[in-house]
Amino acid sequence: MKQFVEEILITEDEIAKKVKELGERISLDYKGKDLLLICVLKGAIMFMSDLSKEITIPMDMDFMAVSSYGASTQSSGVVKIIKDLDTSIENRHIIIVEDIIDSGLTLSYLIQNLESRKPASLAICTLLDKPARRVSRVKPDYTGFVIEDHFVVGYGLDYDEKFRNVPYVFIPKAEIIK
Ligand code: PRP
Ligand code: MN
Ligand code: MG
């Protein structure tokens, strides 16, 4: 994959260390509570998988698929639910797990949608936060890394569905982005 990499922004080790910290914090904060992690597919798949392994209290997982980017590097602003949750979230403590908050449009839509289902509480955990491009005000409760305004891929994040499998977060070479 090295031929596609302009710069590695966050290494595997840095991710692992941060994910462990977040898992420990969540385990303390949600002790004794009915915790449900909601993975926002597809981007959050790697983060969800690693984060859940660092959580040391009982918890459930569910998955939701939404898409606003398609094959573009820019958010269309139109969020589409491709797959909804399997379970009710009423009176449960939920954490939405995201790979990145960019414009914030995906999450503000999701928050509004999930709040209407009356969870006991709703928090946001994101691996990456890119505040430079925020359109809709969203404030994560748990953040891995705050990053500059770069287009990044890897560790779940894609460009045209590629590079999700790369174990680190990187800036791709300009010539591969159409
Ligand atoms: C990406 C990313 C976040 C969202 C962030 O998902 O995984 O979910 O965009 O952008 P925003 O803050 O500007 O809304 P995408 O729509 O590309 O779907 P994917 O997770 O399947 O790649
Ligand atoms: Mn996504
Ligand atoms: Mg995407």
Side-chain angles (χ1 to χ4, degrees):
M1 291 289 179
K2 286 282 150 68
Q3 69 270 34
F4 304 111
V5 176
E6 178 69 36
E7 185 192 335
I8 295 182
L9 208 60
I10 311 170
T11 66
E12 271 190 86
D13 283 355
E14 287 167 335
I15 294 171
K17 206 169 143 232
K18 187 66 76 176
V19 169
K20 192 169 195 311
E21 273 172 39
L22 291 171
E24 282 165 3
R25 274 182 55 202
I26 290 170
S27 303
L28 284 174
D29 293 352
Y30 286 85
K31 198 166 175 225
K33 290 182 174 163
D34 178 21
L35 174 61
L36 172 69
L37 293 196
I38 296 175
C39 174
V40 186
L41 294 170
K42 302 170 191 169
I45 174 88
M46 299 289 173
F47 184 39
M48 173 76 165
S49 168
D50 289 342
L51 178 68
S52 61
K53 286 181 273 181
E54 300 295 347
I55 292 178
T56 54
I57 57 169
M59 52 151 279
D60 290 10
M61 308 179 178
D62 206 344
F63 300 84
M64 212 165 163
V66 296
S67 198
S68 63
Y69 278 63
S72 159
T73 59
Q74 295 244 316
S75 176
S76 63
V78 181
V79 181
K80 216 169 60 182
I81 295 191
I82 295 158
K83 183 220 170 288
D84 206 342
L85 300 173
D86 293 340
T87 48
S88 163
I89 59 171
E90 198 173 338
N91 294 324
R92 308 197 65 190
H93 294 277
I94 68 173
I95 301 178
I96 304 175
V97 178
E98 258 291 25
D99 51 331
I100 187 168
I101 309 177
D102 194 341
S103 71
L105 292 169
T106 302
L107 260 181
S108 55
Y109 171 82
L110 266 180
I111 291 166
Q112 209 187 12
N113 183 292
L114 295 179
E115 282 286 12
S116 73
R117 307 184 198 189
K118 307 268 184 289
S121 68
L122 186 160
I124 295 154
C125 178
T126 188
L127 180 72
L128 306 175
D129 184 4
K130 196 199 278 186
R133 312 233 310 183
R134 204 58 49 83
V135 173
S136 189
R137 253 182 60 189
V138 184
K139 200 185 131 302
D141 302 275
Y142 303 93
T143 304
F145 304 90
V146 177
I147 63 166
E148 306 279 303
D149 190 9
H150 296 122
F151 182 69
V152 292
V153 296
Y155 197 70
L157 290 97
D158 71 302
Y159 168 63
D160 201 8
E161 298 301 323
K162 301 289 187 292
F163 308 120
R164 295 193 198 275
N165 59 316
V166 178
Y168 45 83
V169 174
F170 69 98
I171 303 171
K173 288 204 169 118
E175 60 260 34
I176 69 156
I177 306 296
K178 280 161 255 151

